[in-house]
């Protein structure tokens, strides 16, 4: 038994120890809280610089496509790649990784947006550091060389010239996949780059379902008398086309105080800041559909970016969540809205006033049928809503076979022709309008580009499917959406998209966005229902 | 006396030592040569990145002035200043200084261009590192704040609001000068920034000579009946004005494969690369002179930058040599060429065809007198060739008094009015059209901006003087120049300017350029002779 004195001493020691422990905990908490805040601030500061370097690079790219005189090309290439390199170096800096590691344990105590930020930065960082800098340099150099060869080879119909480039591209893409091993399928890492959570297997199931429906649908349509789209192919003032398209985009909700439209060879959307999201379009004097639908397509991308919560500006949270969801927004506005009958019931009189000589005597029904004409054709970018998906499926299948080594590059033209015949019943007379037509593969991208640099073909199809799923959910929540469109009102639809998709940026995963907004993960039913309803009516098909 | 053997040993030793010495020298030379090459390559690599970061920043600034939607402003400010900071940090990096130091001893062996490069980089570097980073940050922040206040204060005619800003600007400019102490005059460091080799004393002598000539000349002109410039103030299609100006600029030698023209609020010239030198102009529907002469002025700057030897691209050698020499080129094309009678003998018929309703019945003599109308006025940027210099002198004198502390900021409006009365016989009715009119002081620049960021007023006058000196030398070398201008031919003049000024970039000093091209350092005689000849004829003045 201990003496009284001894016990007193023990008690004092215990008390002292307890006090020390409490103090230490208090200090630790303070330190943790302070340093969490400080670490987060440091992380956000670094991310903001990376964002700004990337945005500056995008300004250079936009200028290159819009206004740069051709003498500027060499220096511009050097300047753009310097900015890309500086941004990349800052992002893969191990110091950034240490900041993420130090924040991880405290995540539970952070506001939800900060926790999302850390999740996204960790994902992006861990993917980025798996890819060695020297690989990035090799891939960029090869991508440019291959693109420059394709610029000549496509018009010359010279696929043979592209064989060595495409073989090297495939080797590089396989090497890229190896950084993310193990995987179920060699294309999975590329697909996951573009659309987090998607796999080769997901896409294959999606396409199998789509194929079952579309091939008979296209056949049935082809059995009907073709639509006449001659009214689209008259001579339309280019300025008037641009003005009309932009005014519609503005009414849809594209904010021109924070955006603008310019002309380029290929349409695109680019973002320099929440307050500066620009679109471009091409214009063909002898086809009124080209500029109009391109403008509305790009405006759909732009409205998404303009609608992201401004608080995420300067961080990786401040952009669209995936390429597929992004594409769903361009397709929703371009196709589901702007190729619909209610839309043209409102806008056609204005279009007729703008082009009185060309369209004054063309009834709205003829125009509506013309802009929705279904016709198997050779070129993906000219394809209608229905056959478009078949172009995508062909490309996706060929990509998988090439990556797996089941198809040799030299046999690609023949496989392309066979695929076109099987899917669309047409055969390209040459490779120029066959397997040489799209830039994607020849820019070094197969299955989706490195760091989402270029879109993978599958994302276009995901976008089509989701466009209908989102629209159906919006109509379910607000049954007035269709009648509002018929009176040129888009506020309810734009508001629903903003609340359910746009404002979240990347705080949720793509699957969370889809599920919360529509009540289920990505599903084919709404898209198939949309196509069946629309095209059965247009082509008097039997309702299945 | 030494033995034979001993002498033989000595001889061997001497020979060995000599061999060793020779070998050591040879090795040193090799090492020096190799490492000189490597060091120079490293220096050029660093300079090229700095050049590219600066150029990227210039693209952002150009876009801000031309096409940026207003929502982009906040992020753009952040992005531009990031690029400026990265370029500045890289330039004042001590590692860059060490490279320069290591190259210095070997300069004698280097090709002349490399020796020039080292001289220029050393000059720029040593000037840059005298200015602490925290000063640069303070000056940039103050410059923006002051500019933003002026944007409101000028239209509100509120000079009082600008007093504290201008006082702080003066304090900052005095602090800037202190980094370069000792100096003869506090304005010398600023003047030397813009025009290497010039001092307050040089400029004061220049202005004294100019004043003696110009004040009586303006008085004599004012005694004559005023020219009628009503023909310039009709309604001219803006597009046609732009088209005409650009076609003339192109014929003068502005290469549109490596440049372009856009509209901005204030005209400027900017360079992103030797292959991409752009100009901007403003257009006023009711004044044909504005866009035309602004376009040709900026084209003068642009032809200079386009003409620099392409081998200097990416280094500090690859740009105009000083602000004064630069301004001489804009003034030469705008005034000496495009406000001359031979020029309009050729171009006026084309202008009349373009604006048949407005100018069809106006004789060329009336038009020629209109574009050269001399009239004391309140606004510098609207001033004619003769009175323009008086506006400059007033500003320069006031700047010196303010910097010296002999004039208090609050007394500036009164001093301005008194000066305008003394120089031009007119008194501004308010400060908006008086001492608030120019952006320069309110952007934080007095005496020339930090790192040539904005031009100092004196450089405009240097430009006027040199424009005539260069033109006279070109005519002396090629007497056909004037008759060629009278037939719309500019090849000989453009070629002479390229050979004597443009191509050198910064390899020579401004004084070397002037002396080699014209046979003497900057001198007033050709400019005074030019003004006397031209305006004596226009206003029938007695030839002095």
């Amino acid at each position: 038994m201990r003496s009284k004195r001894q016990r007193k001493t023990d008690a004092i020691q215990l008390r002292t120890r307890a006090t020390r422990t409490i103090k230490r905990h208090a200090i630790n908490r303070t330190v943790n809280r302070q340093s969490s805040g400080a670490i987060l601030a440091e992380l956000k500061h670094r991310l903001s610089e990376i964002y700004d370097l990337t945005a500056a690079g995008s300004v250079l790219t936009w200028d290159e496509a819009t206004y740069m005189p051709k003498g500027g090309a060499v220096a511009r290439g050097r300047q753009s790649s310097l900015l890309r390199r500086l941004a990349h170096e800052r992002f893969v800096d191990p110091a950034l990784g240490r900041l993420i590691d130090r924040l991880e344990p405290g995540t539970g105590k952070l506001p939800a947006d900060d926790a999302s930020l850390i999740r996204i930065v960790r994902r992006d960082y861990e993917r980025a550091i798996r890819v060695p800098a020297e690989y990035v340099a090799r891939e960029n150099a090869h991508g440019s060389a291959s693109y420059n060869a394709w610029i000549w080879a496509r018009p010359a119909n010279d696929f043979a010239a592209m064989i060595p480039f495409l073989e090297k591209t495939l080797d590089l893409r396989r090497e890229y996949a190896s950084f993310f091993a193990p995987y179920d399928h060699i294309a999975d890492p590329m697909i996951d780059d573009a659309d987090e959570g998607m796999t080769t297997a997901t896409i294959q199931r999606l396409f199998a379902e789509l194929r079952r429906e579309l091939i008979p649908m296209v056949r049935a349509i082809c059995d009907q008398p073709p639509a006449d789209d001659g009214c689209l192919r008259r001579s339309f003032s280019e300025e008037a086309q641009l003005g009309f398209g932009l005014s519609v985009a503005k009414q849809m909700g594209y904010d021109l105080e924070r955006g603008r439209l310019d002309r380029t060879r290929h349409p695109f959307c680019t973002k320099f800041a929440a307050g500066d999201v620009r679109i471009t379009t091409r214009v063909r004097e002898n086809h009124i559909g080209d500029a109009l639908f391109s403008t509305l397509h790009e405006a759909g991308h732009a409205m998404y970016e303009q609608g992201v919560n401004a608080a995420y500006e300067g961080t990786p949270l401040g952009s669209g969540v995936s390429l597929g969801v992004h594409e769903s927004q361009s397709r929703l506005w371009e196709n589901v809205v702007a190729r619909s009958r209610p839309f043209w019931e409102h806008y056609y009189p204005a279009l007729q006033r703008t082009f009185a000589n060309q369209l004054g005597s063309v009834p709205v029904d003829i125009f509506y049928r013309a802009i929705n004409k279904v016709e198997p054709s050779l070129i993906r970018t000219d394809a209608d809503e229905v056959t478009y998906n078949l172009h995508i499926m062909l490309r996706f299948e060929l990509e998988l076979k090439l990556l797996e080594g089941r198809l040799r590059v030299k046999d690609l033209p023949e496989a392309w022709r066979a695929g076109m015949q099987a899917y669309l019943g047409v055969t390209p007379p040459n490779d120029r309008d066959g397997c040489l037509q799209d830039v994607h593969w020849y820019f070094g991208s197969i299955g989706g580009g490195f760091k989402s640099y270029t879109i993978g073909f599958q994302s276009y199809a995901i976008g089509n499917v989701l466009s209908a799923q989102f629209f159906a959910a919006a109509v379910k929540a607000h049954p007035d959406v269709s009648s509002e469109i018929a009176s040129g009102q888009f506020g309810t639809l734009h508001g629903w998209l903003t609340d359910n998709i746009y404002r979240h940026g990347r705080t949720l995963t793509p699957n969370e966005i889809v599920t919360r907004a529509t009540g289920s993960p990505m599903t084919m039913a709404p898209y198939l229902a949309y196509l069946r309803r629309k095209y059965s009516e247009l082509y008097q098909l039997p309702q299945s």
Side-chain angles (χ1 to χ4, degrees), chain A:
Chain A
M1 193 181 168
R2 302 190 128 196
S3 72
K4 191 177 173 183
R5 184 170 171 193
Q6 184 66 41
R7 274 180 315 209
K8 194 176 170 188
T9 311
D10 284 350
I12 290 169
Q13 285 181 338
L14 278 171
R15 213 162 49 232
T16 312
R17 213 180 295 150
T19 311
R20 278 203 200 114
T21 308
I22 289 165
K23 274 189 186 154
R24 204 181 309 124
H25 280 171
I27 290 165
N28 280 351
R29 264 206 309 279
T30 311
V31 168
N32 276 342
R33 205 181 307 135
Q34 282 183 336
S35 65
S36 270
I39 295 165
L40 197 58
E42 163 76 9
L43 179 69
K44 286 181 181 174
H45 174 71
R46 285 171 178 259
L47 293 171
S48 169
E49 282 203 355
I50 293 164
Y51 178 89
D52 283 338
L53 283 168
T54 308
S58 299
V59 176
L60 266 57
T61 304
W62 172 88
D63 177 71
E64 190 171 353
T66 50
Y67 297 113
M68 189 184 79
K70 74 181 182 188
V74 174
R76 182 57 53 88
R78 204 178 61 221
Q79 289 157 2
S80 291
S81 77
L82 173 64
L83 294 181
R84 267 202 304 276
R85 179 167 64 73
L86 293 180
H88 183 72
E89 281 172 6
R90 279 165 166 68
F91 193 68
V92 298
D93 185 344
L96 195 109
R98 285 193 295 272
L99 290 175
I100 301 169
D101 285 341
R102 288 173 65 196
L103 280 166
E104 197 67 3
T107 307
K109 296 167 208 149
L110 291 169
D113 285 347
D114 288 336
S116 294
L117 176 65
I118 293 164
R119 182 183 73 80
I120 287 294
V121 176
R122 170 175 285 276
R123 172 178 151 89
D124 290 353
Y125 177 77
E126 288 182 351
R127 293 185 75 80
I129 59 169
R130 282 171 182 255
V131 185
E134 67 78 30
Y135 173 86
V136 176
R138 265 191 293 137
E139 180 165 276
N140 283 338
H142 173 66
S144 299
S146 178
Y147 175 76
N148 288 328
W150 175 77
I151 286 287
W152 297 100
R154 193 199 164 190
N157 191 38
D158 188 357
F159 181 74
M162 295 312 299
I163 291 176
F165 288 100
L166 200 46
E167 282 172 344
K168 188 166 174 195
T169 297
L170 283 163
D171 285 343
L172 283 164
R173 298 270 77 198
R174 290 187 196 105
E175 186 178 350
Y176 180 76
S178 75
F179 303 135
F180 298 91
Y183 43 70
D184 289 337
H185 189 282
I186 192 168
D188 284 354
M190 282 83 105
I191 292 172
D192 195 46
D193 263 353
D195 293 282
E196 182 185 355
M198 296 276 172
T199 64
T200 308
T202 330
I203 310 287
Q204 283 174 319
R205 277 195 300 275
L206 181 83
F207 283 178
E209 206 175 339
L210 208 47
R211 189 182 300 117
R212 266 198 306 277
E213 182 85 13
L214 289 184
I215 290 184
M217 189 187 289
V218 172
R219 289 215 183 111
I221 290 172
C222 288
D223 287 343
Q224 301 296 318
D228 177 5
D229 63 353
C231 64
L232 308 180
R233 299 173 183 281
R234 296 172 181 172
S235 172
F236 302 91
S237 142
E238 297 189 352
E239 285 308 310
Q241 287 190 56
L242 288 170
F244 187 85
L246 191 59
S247 77
V248 174
K250 189 180 169 189
Q251 288 164 61
M252 283 175 165
Y254 178 42
D255 179 358
L256 291 174
E257 301 272 293
R258 301 187 291 138
R260 56 175 286 119
L261 171 69
D262 294 275
R263 297 175 67 157
T264 49
R265 188 167 166 166
H266 301 290
F268 63 88
C269 170
T270 184
K271 181 183 195 175
F272 312 142
D276 194 352
V277 184
R278 305 188 190 178
I279 61 174
T280 74
T281 188
R282 70 177 162 230
V283 193
R284 289 202 313 221
E285 194 249 342
N286 61 354
H287 198 296
I288 196 178
D290 213 14
L292 177 61
F293 292 108
S294 293
T295 300
L296 301 182
H297 179 102
E298 300 305 333
H301 285 302
M303 285 186 271
Y304 188 175
E305 291 295 334
Q306 287 187 333
V308 174
N309 186 338
Y312 308 150
E313 168 98 343
T315 78
L317 295 182
S319 72
V321 72
S322 70
L323 293 184
V325 173
H326 230 304
E327 195 67 12
S328 79
Q329 295 313 298
S330 54
R331 301 287 164 146
L332 187 151
W333 289 103
E334 174 197 357
N335 288 339
V336 184
V337 174
R339 289 188 204 265
S340 75
R341 192 184 291 272
F343 179 89
W344 287 108
E345 278 165 12
H346 177 77
Y347 279 106
Y348 193 61
L351 190 70
Q352 284 183 306
R353 282 193 298 277
T354 308
F355 299 109
N357 290 337
Q358 299 90 334
L359 297 175
S361 61
V362 177
V364 64
D365 265 2
I366 300 294
F367 181 79
Y368 173 66
R369 283 179 64 83
I371 60 170
N372 287 297
K373 178 181 181 179
V374 176
E375 184 177 46
S377 63
L378 297 175
I379 306 296
R380 174 184 63 87
T381 54
D382 294 340
D384 58 83
E385 234 182 327
V386 182
T387 59
Y388 189 92
N389 299 287
L390 300 171
H391 289 269
I392 296 302
M393 285 180 222
L394 170 64
R395 285 156 179 75
F396 186 73
E397 276 168 26
L398 294 173
E399 283 183 344
L400 296 188
K401 284 186 187 160
L402 287 166
L403 284 168
E404 292 163 5
R406 290 190 292 128
L407 174 66
R408 284 174 304 182
V409 170
K410 74 176 181 57
D411 298 329
L412 178 61
E414 185 45 44
W416 185 284
R417 284 190 288 272
M420 285 297 286
Q421 190 56 48
Y423 275 122
L424 288 154
V426 294
T427 304
N430 54 48
D431 294 333
R432 183 173 53 233
D433 294 334
C435 63
L436 279 173
Q437 71 180 260
D438 291 309
V439 65
H440 305 55
W441 294 344
Y442 305 103
F443 207 77
S445 162
I446 289 200
F450 173 64
K451 290 200 72 191
S452 311
Y453 196 48
T454 44
I455 193 169
F457 288 112
Q458 70 282 354
S459 299
Y460 296 120
I462 296 172
N464 284 338
V465 171
L466 289 178
S467 69
Q469 186 172 345
F470 284 130
F471 188 77
V475 170
K476 191 173 169 196
H478 303 286
D480 288 348
V481 159
S482 288
S483 61
E484 285 183 13
I485 291 172
S487 58
Q489 303 295 316
F490 305 98
T492 303
L493 177 59
H494 187 270
W496 186 89
L497 294 167
T498 302
D499 287 346
N500 287 277
I501 304 170
Y502 301 171
R503 70 181 172 86
H504 298 300
R506 292 177 74 198
T507 53
L508 306 174
T509 65
N511 189 49
E512 284 169 344
I513 296 260
V514 174
T515 307
R516 289 189 191 196
T518 70
S520 90
M522 181 169 76
T523 167
M524 192 65 79
Y527 183 56
L528 295 180
Y530 160 77
L531 289 179
R532 269 184 225 124
R533 197 169 48 243
K534 179 170 176 178
Y535 290 93
S536 295
E537 186 242 302
L538 270 162
Y539 283 92
Q540 282 112 44
L541 306 182
Q543 293 275 356
S544 57

